Amino acid sequence: MQSNLFRWLFEDPVMAGSNGGLPGTEVFHFLWPWLIFCIAGLLLTFYYSVEGRKRFVKSKPLAKRMLDNYLGWFAVICVVGLPLIFARVYLSGYFFAWRFWRYLWLLSMVVWAATWIYYLVRKYPSERAGFKAYQTQQKYVPKGNRSKRNARAGSR
């Protein structure tokens, strides 16, 4: 079983097709779904970085920080996915056409989603409560007179 899994992961599509009795390379059935996923992910992160930060999370610093971190990693995953898909389709007899790279890429997406869910469930509620407490505290802290301080600084 272990040798078959090893062979299945690290076999290029040309060899997999000839070993499976196919006349050519093994067919890659997931080209369009993965391509659409990667392009949509890149468009989403581009839209967020250009317009979404100002429009949706302008007054929410915790949400802005969370989306900056996690959408940045999502963009990296999508950028890495495009050459892997290209290698599978056009470089079918070479190193990056192995299934191992696509499953490693898929594992990175699962880890990314798990860390985001963990953050949303475990850490974000406590950070949000702490930030609300800080905002409430700042309502009652007296503010200094900035005009006097600026006037004194200019007269030195």
Side-chain angles (χ1 to χ4, degrees):
M1 176 70 183
Q2 186 177 10
S3 65
N4 289 339
L5 177 65
F6 184 79
R7 192 173 122 210
W8 184 77
L9 283 174
F10 296 102
E11 189 172 48
D12 62 278
V14 174
M15 289 300 296
S18 65
N19 290 340
L22 299 174
T25 63
E26 181 184 43
V27 179
F28 183 51
H29 299 285
F30 302 109
L31 171 67
W32 290 108
W34 285 118
L35 198 60
I36 290 170
F37 176 79
C38 287
I39 291 172
L42 288 174
L43 288 175
L44 175 80
T45 55
F46 177 73
Y47 176 76
Y48 172 76
S49 66
V50 171
E51 183 68 27
R53 291 185 83 220
K54 294 181 273 186
R55 180 177 289 183
F56 300 119
V57 292
K58 185 176 185 179
S59 62
K60 300 172 186 167
L62 290 177
K64 184 186 287 189
R65 187 181 69 176
M66 177 187 63
L67 287 173
D68 286 347
N69 289 339
Y70 290 107
L71 285 181
W73 277 108
F74 185 59
V76 169
I77 289 172
C78 289
V79 165
V80 168
L82 288 174
L84 288 178
I85 293 169
F86 172 79
R88 171 55 185 94
V89 173
Y90 294 109
L91 304 174
S92 59
Y94 294 96
F95 180 68
F96 285 110
W98 293 350
R99 286 184 186 103
F100 169 75
W101 297 112
R102 291 190 308 278
Y103 283 97
L104 185 66
W105 177 62
L106 184 63
L107 179 67
S108 70
M109 282 192 292
V110 168
V111 168
W112 170 81
T115 56
W116 196 0
I117 290 169
Y118 175 77
Y119 179 80
L120 285 174
V121 170
R122 295 283 181 161
K123 294 191 176 199
Y124 184 72
S126 63
E127 285 184 11
R128 186 179 60 208
F131 185 70
K132 284 183 180 181
Y134 173 76
Q135 284 180 328
T136 305
Q137 179 188 14
Q138 290 302 311
K139 287 181 190 177
Y140 301 109
V141 173
K143 303 237 188 301
N145 194 350
R146 293 181 187 243
S147 61
K148 285 184 183 180
R149 189 174 13 173
N150 289 340
R152 272 190 260 142
S155 64
R156 290 184 194 170

